[in-house]
Amino acid sequence: MIKIGMMIGDRYEILEKIGTGGMSDVYKAKCHKLNRFVAIKVLKQEFSENANFVSKFRTEAQAAAGLMHPNIVNVYDVGEENGIYYFVMEIVEGITLKKYIEKKARLSVKEAISIAIQVSMGIEAAHNNHIIHRDIKPQNIMISKEGKVKVTDFGIAKAATSNTITSNVMGSVHYTSPEQARGGYSDEKSDIYSLGITLFEMLTGRVPFNGETTVAIAIKHIQEEMPSPREYVPEIPVSVEQIVFKCCQKSPDRRYQSVAELIDDLKQSLLNPDEDFVKMTEPDRRASTRMITEREMERIKRVSAAKDDMEESMRLKRRYTDDGGEEEEEYDEDYDPRMEKITTVLAIVAAVIVGCIVIVLVGRALGLFHLKGNSGEEDSQIEEETEQVEMIGVTGMAVKTAQDRLEKLGLKTEVKYVENAAYPQNQVISASVEEGIMVEPGTVITLTVSAGEEGVSVPKATGVTYEEAKNTLEKAGFVVNRSESSSSTVENNFVISQNPESGTKAPKGSAVTIVVSTGAEDSKIRVPDLMGKEEDEVLAMLIETGLQLGTVGQMNSEDYPEGQVCYQSYSVGSFVDPGTAIDIKISMGGRAATYSYSGNITGPTAAEDPEYRDGTKVKVKIVTEDGTTLLDTETASFPVAVNYTGIKSATGKITFHYTLVTEPSVGADGTETPGGSTEKTIERTIEFTKEG
């Protein structure tokens, strides 16, 4: 039985459970031999004595173990220990494509094609090794934090011989090919069909065929025409539409004959999206859509019933966690056709309302509509939802005070200095907007400020690098404030503008704001607002904008509820290079979180100390990250059972300290080696489980 903290294969330390499936559990573990984190899929105890389940589990491991590719979740090791069957695989920190689509509603054409290419390359590697996946779907495609796409879960994969293979097992019914739905043959072109359905879902946010039962959906795959993705998203290019159609032909002979052909067309669609270059195989009688025979209908029902029975008996709830576990297997998703009709009607009504509002707004702007009340009052006004703010009086304030107060109202400021003997230096003389006037948030207020009787002339700081401008201004006695903006005409790191402008006079020691170019906007990426978002939503936003998710930490926050981002390492709106990693911290709520730790502590492993022997007296100490000692004991018997709650740190260390004694010995040549003792200390990092 698997327990947290135990070692498997003398090298894998079980850290936590991260997923569960019908016949297996997935754990996060640390490989002490190679010092890396891995995922370990373990056959559930109740199935380990069943020869059929063990055989199926081994088949899955063997199918995946022979594949090493950047777009496949790689398998590192396979083993069996004391009746525990397991295999070790790469851990992917990220989200499934299914969740990614749900977060974004649908993907852009460019992003969908990019993901499809990476998935295709992974499938091609499997096909080149004579492995057919047979369950391609968004739930089995992972997107890592770095934006890498990986195919996972070869649970029903089969080794393909020179001929096609036959099996009564089909993949998820929403993505299954017609030949799989019939319970007949399936080959590499079945994976191509499923990939086509997945591409359709990426582009439109929905699957092409749905129904109330698995049988109903399977029948649609066999005899209903494939809808065009352009029916739902008209801006999809014709080449992409044709790629989907060719992937999802009813007859395998009319589809792409290899994944390599599909990859070529996908790449071509990125370069020439509006060209109709996809070559469709001419239909013939054998390839045409045909009605299902009674015999085929019985076979479909048997396959679907067997599938449903297996799901029910095994309570299949497959889910990969955000750290790379299994995603929920949804053959009959929560779909209600009546609800879809209602949603469609509501969407149409909403579109009509929005259209009416737009017409009224445009008409008002052009003076076409003159709406009057019953009393003959002036034209009614359509007010924007944005609330205006009232300008405050700033005359006589210190310029820094005035700027702070205006910024708190959501207004921006610019400063213009003039020599003036009536106002002290750095005092506001006037503002471009009078007190009491209502203005929009973001309005720029120009403050005219006294430079005193003898102001200092502001030198020119534009057209030079930031370093040169800063040096010039500081030598003249000014403080430099830097802001950034993209520019297609001003080179990166050169100054676009300055405030106050050159030639004007300002008090010595006052601030001059310079705007520094970050280069053309398309060469930089604006950092999105991640605050208040959940981690998986943040990952989706960063991948979409071309950035990466950096380290993810935790901290207490009174401002953001638990589970939401309360810190990001780059400010919102700043410009960074593509691929920049943005670190975030997740709120643990207003009060400190507590953790627990229970399990069995094993003694030093062979990887940690090859010289350690069972029976050696060892001083075992557990200390949390904040310095709290949980355990301080000496024992010669392992494992040591522990159970702690209310821990205030997320991590800690186990320290083993012991003395190795060697006896005197005489060599073959009569040389005597004296005995002695060696002090040994081994440290092992542990992670605690968050409570409640």
Side-chain angles (χ1 to χ4, degrees):
M1 182 178 179
I2 296 293
K3 292 183 179 179
I4 304 301
M6 74 179 294
M7 298 290 290
I8 295 181
D10 289 331
R11 63 186 290 187
Y12 304 112
E13 180 186 2
I14 303 296
L15 300 178
E16 61 176 314
K17 181 186 283 190
I18 58 175
T20 185
M23 67 176 190
S24 60
D25 293 319
V26 182
Y27 295 86
K28 182 179 180 181
K30 183 175 183 181
C31 175
H32 287 276
K33 190 171 183 179
L34 297 177
N35 193 30
R36 66 180 177 185
F37 291 106
V38 295
I40 298 184
K41 180 176 280 192
V42 181
L43 183 64
K44 287 184 176 179
Q45 191 71 29
E46 57 264 36
F47 301 123
S48 61
E49 296 179 0
N50 185 309
N52 289 332
F53 282 109
V54 171
S55 175
K56 177 178 170 60
F57 188 78
R58 283 176 171 167
T59 299
E60 176 181 357
Q62 291 167 357
L67 303 175
M68 294 295 289
H69 190 272
N71 297 116
I72 292 177
V73 175
N74 296 310
V75 172
Y76 300 138
D77 193 9
V78 180
E80 182 269 330
E81 183 176 298
N82 298 325
I84 298 174
Y85 297 89
Y86 67 91
F87 63 86
V88 183
M89 56 187 176
E90 169 187 10
I91 191 165
V92 181
E93 296 186 355
I95 60 174
T96 64
L97 177 58
K98 186 71 173 180
K99 283 187 177 180
Y100 188 50
I101 296 171
E102 289 172 353
K103 287 289 179 185
K104 298 188 64 177
R106 62 181 177 85
L107 309 187
S108 66
V109 173
K110 186 176 180 180
E111 189 173 23
I113 295 301
S114 176
I115 291 173
I117 289 172
Q118 292 190 62
V119 174
S120 298
M121 292 172 72
I123 296 174
E124 182 184 30
H127 289 181
N128 289 341
N129 282 272
H130 310 294
I131 298 294
I132 303 169
H133 190 287
R134 306 179 75 236
D135 197 16
I136 294 296
K137 58 183 178 180
Q139 293 93 324
N140 285 340
I141 297 167
M142 297 293 299
I143 302 178
S144 72
K145 290 181 178 180
E146 295 76 28
K148 196 72 176 177
V149 179
K150 291 177 177 284
V151 181
T152 186
D153 199 350
F154 284 75
I156 60 172
K158 292 283 184 180
T161 63
S162 57
N163 301 316
T164 55
I165 60 172
T166 307
S167 174
N168 284 331
V169 180
M170 65 178 176
S172 300
V173 72
H174 289 98
Y175 309 91
T176 197
S177 66
E179 59 270 23
Q180 285 175 288
R182 295 179 193 275
Y185 294 104
S186 62
D187 60 7
E188 289 88 346
K189 292 183 282 294
S190 301
D191 284 349
I192 292 175
Y193 182 95
S194 300
L195 180 54
I197 301 293
T198 299
L199 178 56
F200 183 101
E201 185 174 359
M202 284 194 283
L203 294 166
T204 66
R206 54 174 293 157
V207 290
F209 301 119
N210 224 324
E212 296 183 353
T213 65
T214 55
V215 172
I217 299 170
I219 291 172
K220 288 182 179 181
H221 278 288
I222 295 171
Q223 64 183 30
E224 282 197 9
E225 284 192 17
M226 180 76 177
S228 168
R230 300 180 74 182
E231 292 180 16
Y232 306 101
V233 185
E235 58 266 30
I236 292 174
V238 63
S239 65
V240 178
E241 176 194 44
Q242 293 303 307
I243 288 172
V244 172
F245 278 150
K246 187 167 183 177
C247 286
C248 298
Q249 291 292 307
K250 304 297 182 189
S251 169
D253 294 336
R254 297 186 62 198
R255 297 174 205 152
Y256 289 98
Q257 296 305 292
S258 70
V259 182
E261 292 180 14
L262 170 58
I263 293 173
D264 288 342
D265 275 3
L266 288 169
K267 289 180 177 178
Q268 179 73 3
S269 71
L270 287 175
L271 299 174
N272 304 295
D274 296 319
E275 288 187 15
D276 189 7
F277 56 80
V278 178
K279 296 180 180 178
M280 304 293 288
T281 305
E282 288 299 320
D284 55 30
R285 188 180 178 194
R286 291 177 302 164
S288 61
T289 301
R290 59 188 178 88
M291 300 303 293
I292 303 173
T293 65
E294 291 184 7
R295 185 175 180 181
E296 287 174 332
M297 176 63 77
E298 288 301 318
R299 177 184 289 175
I300 294 169
K301 289 181 178 179
R302 284 199 306 271
V303 172
S304 297
K307 187 180 187 67
D308 293 340
D309 289 344
M310 183 177 69
E311 291 169 0
E312 179 64 25
S313 64
M314 295 171 62
R315 301 178 182 275
L316 188 55
K317 291 287 183 183
R318 304 178 126 187
R319 184 179 300 278
Y320 257 127
T321 67
D322 288 348
D323 286 333
E326 291 182 18
E327 170 67 15
E328 185 176 354
E329 189 101 55
E330 297 175 345
Y331 298 113
D332 190 8
E333 295 170 313
D334 298 332
Y335 171 76
D336 186 345
R338 292 173 297 177
M339 183 57 69
E340 182 174 1
K341 291 178 182 178
I342 293 172
T343 304
T344 303
V345 172
L346 291 176
I348 294 171
V349 172
V352 172
I353 293 172
V354 171
C356 291
I357 292 173
V358 171
I359 292 171
V360 172
L361 289 173
V362 172
R364 292 285 297 166
L366 298 176
L368 300 177
F369 299 152
H370 298 282
L371 304 176
K372 292 190 176 183
N374 295 331
S375 58
E377 297 176 353
E378 293 183 357
D379 293 354
S380 61
Q381 300 294 317
I382 300 176
E383 297 182 355
E384 295 183 2
E385 292 183 2
T386 306
E387 292 186 4
Q388 294 184 324
V389 295
E390 183 178 351
M391 178 62 185
I392 60 174
V394 294
T395 300
M397 285 186 187
V399 62
K400 184 67 171 64
T401 303
Q403 286 179 308
D404 290 342
R405 293 189 181 181
L406 291 172
E407 286 174 4
K408 285 182 179 178
L409 292 174
L411 303 175
K412 298 179 180 180
T413 60
E414 283 187 354
V415 177
K416 177 182 178 182
Y417 285 98
V418 295
E419 288 184 328
N420 190 298
Y423 286 85
Q425 203 175 67
N426 284 319
Q427 195 173 81
V428 177
I429 301 172
S430 63
S432 59
V433 177
E434 295 181 5
E435 181 180 357
I437 300 296
M438 303 300 292
V439 294
E440 300 292 336
T443 300
V444 178
I445 308 296
T446 302
L447 302 177
T448 302
V449 181
S450 172
E453 294 186 58
E454 294 184 2
V456 179
S457 181
V458 179
K460 182 181 179 183
T462 56
V464 296
T465 65
Y466 165 70
E467 291 75 18
E468 291 176 291
K470 184 172 183 290
N471 186 50
T472 300
L473 291 169
E474 287 180 345
K475 278 186 177 180
F478 295 101
V479 176
V480 178
N481 287 339
R482 171 177 173 153
S483 66
E484 295 179 344
S485 178
S486 61
S487 173
S488 59
T489 57
V490 180
E491 189 179 345
N492 180 46
N493 200 45
F494 276 68
V495 178
I496 302 171
S497 62
Q498 66 181 91
N499 181 29
E501 295 179 357
S502 63
T504 60
K505 290 189 176 182
K508 193 169 186 177
S510 60
V512 177
T513 300
I514 57 176
V515 180
V516 182
S517 172
T518 58
E521 189 166 1
D522 58 1
S523 68
K524 293 282 185 178
I525 296 176
R526 187 185 294 271
V527 176
D529 186 359
L530 308 178
M531 304 295 282
K533 308 292 193 303
E534 295 184 353
E535 185 179 346
D536 54 355
E537 185 177 359
V538 166
L539 178 58
M541 291 173 66
L542 292 176
I543 291 173
E544 180 184 8
T545 55
L547 302 174
Q548 294 184 18
L549 181 60
T551 60
V552 180
Q554 291 184 320
M555 63 182 291
N556 294 112
S557 172
E558 298 289 346
D559 299 324
Y560 293 92
E562 184 177 355
Q564 292 185 358
V565 173
C566 58
Y567 163 84
Q568 61 184 87
S569 58
Y570 286 84
S571 58
V572 178
S574 60
F575 289 90
V576 296
D577 293 322
T580 298
I582 311 296
D583 299 336
I584 62 172
K585 290 185 180 179
I586 307 296
S587 171
M588 298 189 297
R591 57 186 180 84
T594 58
Y595 301 83
S596 64
Y597 180 59
S598 62
N600 294 310
I601 301 173
T602 58
T605 64
E608 293 171 330
D609 183 11
E611 296 179 344
Y612 171 80
R613 297 292 179 267
D614 291 337
T616 303
K617 279 193 175 183
V618 181
K619 186 175 182 179
V620 184
K621 196 172 185 178
I622 302 179
V623 180
T624 66
E625 190 178 24
D626 64 2
T628 303
T629 300
L630 301 179
L631 177 68
D632 191 355
T633 187
E634 189 174 64
T635 182
S637 177
F638 288 96
V640 177
V642 294
N643 185 15
Y644 302 102
T645 58
I647 304 171
K648 294 184 179 179
S649 296
T651 60
K653 283 187 178 180
I654 303 176
T655 303
F656 302 92
H657 185 79
Y658 50 95
T659 302
L660 287 181
V661 178
T662 56
E663 299 294 333
S665 61
V666 179
D669 59 354
T671 303
E672 293 185 1
T673 302
S677 61
T678 305
E679 297 288 326
K680 293 278 186 123
T681 300
I682 293 173
E683 288 187 343
R684 184 184 297 167
T685 301
I686 53 174
E687 295 181 2
F688 304 131
T689 303
K690 190 175 180 182
E691 293 180 325

